[in-house]
Amino acid sequence: MYGIVDCDNCYVSCERVFRPDLKDKPVVVLSNNDGCVVARSNEAKRMGIKAGMPYYQLEEQFPNHKIAVFSSNYELYGELTARVVEIIRKEVPAYFRYSIDECFIYLEGMEHLDLKTWGEQLHQRVKQYVGMPVSIGLAPTKTLAKMASHFAKKYLGYRHCCMIDCEEKRIKALKLYPIGEVWGIGRRYAARLETLGVRTAYDFARHNESWVRSTFNNIVILRTWRELNGIDCVPNEEMAKKKSICTSRSFNGMVDDLEDLRTHVSNYAARCAEKLRKQGTVATIVGVFLNTNPFREDLAQYWNFQETRLITPSNATITIVKAASDVLQEIYRPGYRYKKAGVIVMGIGPNSPIQQDLFDINAEQFEKMRRLDAVIDRINRMQGTETIVLGSQQYIRRESPAEQGKPRPKIKADVFANAIKHDFRSKNPTTRWSDIMVLK
């Protein structure tokens, strides 16, 4: 038996942990640069606020409503969801974190328990200890567990835990579940299935395997079909680790200077390296893309992507940042005003063992970099994100001729070199001493 624990309206729930006054009130969380709505409370959904709605339209369409608005605060979200995962870890034989708000659990050896009651109690424990509501789905396959968590979230009668443990429940769930929402069925395949008369998960599951093979010739679709029919076949290792990692952002304004772009790209590359280390992997390819604003037809347009291969697979921040900077140097063209850049690391594999190249850095240097990253990660985890960064990650304001030779104020390196607009970002009382709560 498998399960999945899904944080309800994750970003909104995180914001409410330290703001109990927002209970039962409409709350939205905005994307990077405060662009559009990416998370909504149930109250906001009932008002008609849609995912992806631009922020400026909120006041236009809902002028008489008091809506709590927050900028994305991934440091807070990561900290609180990590606490949820820690509770889960103590309750199950095995687990792995699938995303920031989802965690798969394995219930082997727990068959003697009333798992439905156990799931309800797990929800209560997380709610009491962290303040986050979660929904739990239990089923014989991971795909059915994802489906069960959807019902647990949607229908209050399940008491935050839905269990599909018999054929009758499986058939009923499949008939109620739209094909476009099935885990493993992307938008393109959902549209194709609907043209073939497949509207629900049940319509898909009742076809035979030979039809699925001949129609799609896709192993992921075939696995999804089998999982819907109660056959456990999604490999755990394929879900646990990402095959590629991308960090990208639209700039708050336009950027045309190479050194400014290098600062942004260095931050993105450092984030990719950190993510590699978190999942215990290394990358062999580092790519960078750069583009102008396609909506500004009055400006010259340019887009480019290029990649480089590392001699030795790595997750070291210095290595990844240097590779990304070198690629940026190759694709940068003066005379354009850039709106977005990003770093992609690919060719991801386990961090042990690593086959080193004869002409690359020696083993001693490799070990020094590994220890350095471990220390920096630990300090940033304890003191707050970006406490320690590379010099290339810091935003450096250029001196005017009148300022040269005079002492300059110290400029704090902000996340992504001040690239992200976050006018409504909440504090981080659990990770930053400067934001610690004061009780009066």
Side-chain angles (χ1 to χ4, degrees):
M1 185 69 75
Y2 295 96
I4 186 167
V5 182
D6 186 2
C7 297
D8 298 346
N9 301 325
C10 180
Y11 294 174
V12 169
S13 296
C14 288
E15 298 291 355
R16 281 175 164 170
V17 167
F18 298 103
R19 289 289 304 275
D21 58 303
L22 296 178
K23 182 180 179 182
D24 300 325
K25 295 182 180 179
V27 181
V28 299
V29 176
L30 304 177
S31 63
N32 294 315
N33 286 323
D34 295 342
C36 59
V37 175
V38 294
R40 304 158 291 158
S41 66
N42 292 331
E43 296 79 13
K45 294 175 184 177
R46 287 193 289 267
M47 286 173 55
I49 298 175
K50 303 295 184 183
M53 174 181 287
Y55 167 64
Y56 72 87
Q57 291 183 3
L58 280 178
E59 290 188 356
E60 294 179 359
Q61 298 189 21
F62 305 95
N64 300 319
H65 294 81
K66 290 186 177 181
I67 304 171
V69 178
F70 291 93
S71 302
S72 297
N73 186 345
Y74 300 113
E75 183 176 338
L76 175 67
Y77 308 153
E79 160 68 11
L80 292 179
T81 54
R83 296 185 180 206
V84 173
V85 174
E86 180 62 18
I87 294 173
I88 294 169
R89 183 186 67 82
K90 297 177 181 178
E91 297 291 329
V92 297
Y95 76 97
F96 72 86
R97 191 169 183 174
Y98 180 62
S99 67
I100 190 171
D101 63 342
E102 293 177 299
C103 185
F104 275 99
I105 55 178
Y106 303 95
L107 306 178
E108 185 177 356
M110 298 178 62
E111 293 82 2
H112 62 285
L113 298 176
D114 181 347
L115 292 177
K116 176 68 167 67
T117 302
W118 173 86
E120 294 174 5
Q121 292 172 347
L122 177 59
H123 159 78
Q124 294 170 357
R125 192 170 295 111
V126 172
K127 181 69 174 174
Q128 178 184 355
Y129 293 173
V130 185
M132 296 270 290
V134 297
S135 296
I136 301 164
L138 307 174
T141 71
K142 303 175 189 71
T143 304
L144 288 174
K146 288 273 287 185
M147 187 179 297
S149 70
H150 169 84
F151 292 120
K153 185 179 298 187
K154 188 174 182 179
Y155 300 106
L156 297 178
Y158 285 112
R159 298 172 57 86
H160 301 278
C161 180
C162 175
M163 184 172 180
I164 300 175
D165 58 348
C166 66
E167 187 67 6
E168 181 183 355
K169 291 181 181 179
R170 185 183 72 87
I171 297 298
K172 182 179 179 180
L174 293 178
K175 288 182 177 180
L176 293 172
Y177 211 74
I179 187 63
E181 296 185 17
V182 174
W183 185 48
I185 303 291
R187 229 178 294 176
R188 183 164 60 91
Y189 284 114
R192 185 177 174 188
L193 283 164
E194 289 183 359
T195 63
L196 297 172
V198 176
R199 300 283 185 269
T200 67
Y202 179 73
D203 296 335
F204 181 52
R206 61 200 290 253
H207 281 284
N208 57 50
E209 183 171 335
S210 60
W211 179 87
V212 178
R213 286 180 177 274
S214 61
T215 305
F216 296 98
N217 191 29
N218 183 290
I219 187 62
V220 175
I221 300 296
L222 179 60
R223 286 174 180 169
T224 301
W225 176 86
R226 288 175 175 172
E227 290 253 328
L228 292 175
N229 283 285
I231 304 170
D232 176 29
C233 62
V234 174
N236 300 331
E237 62 273 12
E238 290 198 8
M239 296 183 296
K241 292 177 171 57
K242 296 180 179 179
K243 303 302 181 184
S244 65
I245 294 174
C246 175
T247 300
S248 65
R249 295 288 184 272
S250 294
F251 306 137
N252 182 22
M254 299 284 196
V255 178
D256 54 13
D257 183 78
L258 175 60
E259 292 307 313
D260 286 345
L261 287 170
R262 197 190 307 277
T263 302
H264 294 294
V265 167
S266 294
N267 276 284
Y268 305 156
R271 268 297 179 85
C272 288
E274 182 183 356
K275 292 176 181 178
L276 285 169
R277 294 194 293 273
K278 278 187 176 180
Q279 68 174 25
T281 55
V282 292
T284 57
I285 299 172
V286 178
V288 177
F289 67 84
L290 189 65
N291 62 265
T292 54
N293 189 345
F295 299 104
R296 289 292 303 272
E297 297 180 357
D298 58 316
L299 299 176
Q301 299 295 312
Y302 174 76
W303 182 92
N304 203 349
F305 169 82
Q306 194 166 307
E307 62 188 40
T308 184
R309 182 173 291 273
L310 302 177
I311 297 176
T312 298
S314 178
N315 58 19
T317 296
I318 292 175
T319 302
I320 303 293
V321 168
K322 183 181 185 307
S325 297
D326 291 344
V327 174
L328 174 66
Q329 184 77 43
E330 292 294 323
I331 65 175
Y332 171 76
R333 298 291 182 272
Y336 294 97
R337 303 186 68 189
Y338 297 98
K339 182 61 179 176
K340 187 175 183 179
V343 176
I344 306 173
V345 292
M346 299 170 285
I348 294 177
N351 62 358
S352 179
I354 297 176
Q355 180 63 46
Q356 290 185 256
D357 189 274
L358 177 64
F359 302 102
D360 198 12
I361 58 176
N362 60 44
E364 183 180 354
Q365 290 174 307
F366 186 87
E367 179 61 21
K368 282 183 178 179
M369 294 177 69
R370 188 193 66 79
R371 293 201 306 269
L372 175 64
D373 284 323
V375 171
I376 292 175
D377 288 344
R378 182 168 61 86
I379 293 174
N380 287 339
R381 190 166 55 249
M382 294 173 61
Q383 301 297 328
T385 306
E386 312 295 326
T387 299
I388 296 182
V389 297
L390 300 182
S392 61
Q393 292 178 250
Q394 296 192 43
Y395 177 77
I396 304 300
R397 184 174 64 84
R398 282 158 182 72
E399 296 178 332
S400 65
E403 294 175 319
Q404 292 181 0
K406 296 181 180 180
R408 292 182 299 170
K410 184 179 179 181
I411 300 175
K412 177 177 171 56
D414 198 2
V415 122
F416 298 133
N418 299 323
I420 300 177
K421 181 180 179 182
H422 39 64
D423 293 341
F424 312 104
R425 191 169 68 177
S426 54
K427 294 186 176 182
N428 298 284
T430 61
T431 54
R432 293 178 181 258
W433 287 109
S434 58
D435 292 348
I436 197 166
M437 297 181 71
V438 178
L439 302 180
K440 294 184 180 179

